[in-house]
Amino acid sequence: MGRPSSKVADAPFTICHVIKQRDENPNQSSQHSLPKADEPPWSNPLAAYIHIPFCAHHCCYCDFAVTDRHDHLMDTYLDALACEIALLETPRPMQTIFIGGGTPTHLQPTQLQRLLQVVRTWLPLEAGGEFSVEANPHGLTEAKVEVLVQGGVNRFSLGVQSFQPAKLKTLERDHRAEDVECVLALLRRFPVTISLDLIFGVPGETVHDWRDDLRQALALGPDHVSTYGLTYEKGTRLWKQRQRQLVQPVDEDIELAMYELAMDFLAGAGFEHYEISNYALPGCRCRHNEVYWANNAYFGFGMGAARYVAGRREVNSRSLDTYLRRVLAGQPATFQSETLSPEESARETMALQLRRSDGIERPQFKKRTGFELDAIAGSQLARQVERGLLLDDGTRVRLTRRGKCLADAVICDLL
Ligand code: SF4
């Protein structure tokens, strides 16, 4: 919701590059050949993602699986979700649940209630579990927050993106800075963790604008902040505007300065930079996203949702019509699937874990993948250490500050 698609809350989507082939027979979904509960977390899912594709407006930069023209199908979609989740056949206790989108809070309170009832039945949250919902500042009413919190939600991820009117206009966001303040005041009345999403590198934006966004975000006292550089995803309206030179991307050096500014600004306010794009106060990391970065297993339900169960990756159809038709007919909505070889899986684990400030711990990596880290990437790691992009203390490998700025290139080199 409200982010460029590099966001790893959409790890289901960002890892799609590893899904190279379409199933000949997508009916043969493995979602429901479930591993046993005593299997390790990279095989047995303890996390679930649920996708709600509805948005009030399809923002120009967004290439998520969303729709702004089918509100009349919201109830039918919830019927389909209930059918898809019920294919589990037996309730599966979860440590983390993440309802994302789209805009989950575009649903009405009674619809949210229905959704939460299904989640409670099939994906009961373990004691102490994390239950996140993405929300837009615009349209998040007290009635919706009450329903969500009563239904077990304890973390809100708000698609703020900016406090600057010009930036919000370029991004086609439908809220004002004042709306964010009101929503924060509302959420603070409930026992929930609050995360703010911000975007930098928007056409016309200056480092000064970005500093002001960071300052205004921190003034609201969030527990967690995610910052994303704007990306021009092929096919989006923003991408087309760029093709026609109607918008001018921010200079790379300026974007880098913005990234470094966020690092310094948020660290100065006591936030831990625990993943390339994510910052948390102590104890407030997003545990659900940490599942993706550990390359552990997770369920995924809904249009375009991805899952990783027992070593098999699957993605549901991104077509609302296909998703509804298949699921309501009792069939899986799987569109693409792939089982990675052990070595491919190990390389993917390496790429994902390197995003974390904790980096890759060699003994844990061996236990997780069956491979010695150095056996699959020893020379590349040494090269990046020499370039000052990685730190290697013999046990753990992690990105340096400069490495974080060039993370995509470092990770590409390792793959
Ligand atoms: S509000 Fe909807 S369309 Fe806009 S960025 Fe978020 S998910 Fe995409």
Side-chain angles (χ1 to χ4, degrees), residues 346 350 360-369 371 373:
M350 180 175 63
I360 309 168
E361 203 219 359
R362 283 188 168 85
Q364 198 277 334
F365 183 84
K366 172 81 194 317
K367 189 171 166 211
R368 161 72 180 81
T369 66
F371 286 83
L373 181 61

Side-chain angles (χ1 to χ4, degrees), residues 1-4 51-68 101-103 134 136 159 161 171-174 199:
M1 121 139 271
R3 315 143 307 213
H51 190 74
I52 304 294
F54 305 101
C55 287
H57 169 72
H58 194 155
C59 308
C60 60
Y61 61 96
C62 178
D63 80 334
F64 297 150
V66 301
T67 174
D68 62 351
T103 310
E134 288 185 326
N136 253 352
Q161 317 316 348
L171 295 172
E172 300 183 354
R173 303 298 303 201
D174 54 5
I199 293 182

Side-chain angles (χ1 to χ4, degrees), residues 276-329:
I276 292 171
S277 304
N278 287 276
Y279 303 81
L281 289 179
C284 296
R285 289 181 177 195
C286 177
R287 286 161 53 196
H288 184 82
N289 284 351
E290 285 193 302
V291 168
Y292 299 145
W293 301 320
N295 205 16
N296 282 341
Y298 53 90
F299 286 124
F301 304 97
M303 170 181 139
R307 60 193 146 268
Y308 181 38
V309 180
R312 186 173 174 84
R313 294 205 174 280
E314 296 181 342
V315 183
N316 279 349
S317 171
R318 283 172 67 105
S319 151
L320 182 59
D321 179 55
T322 305
Y323 174 79
L324 292 178
R325 199 163 23 81
R326 294 188 65 85
V327 174
L328 290 173

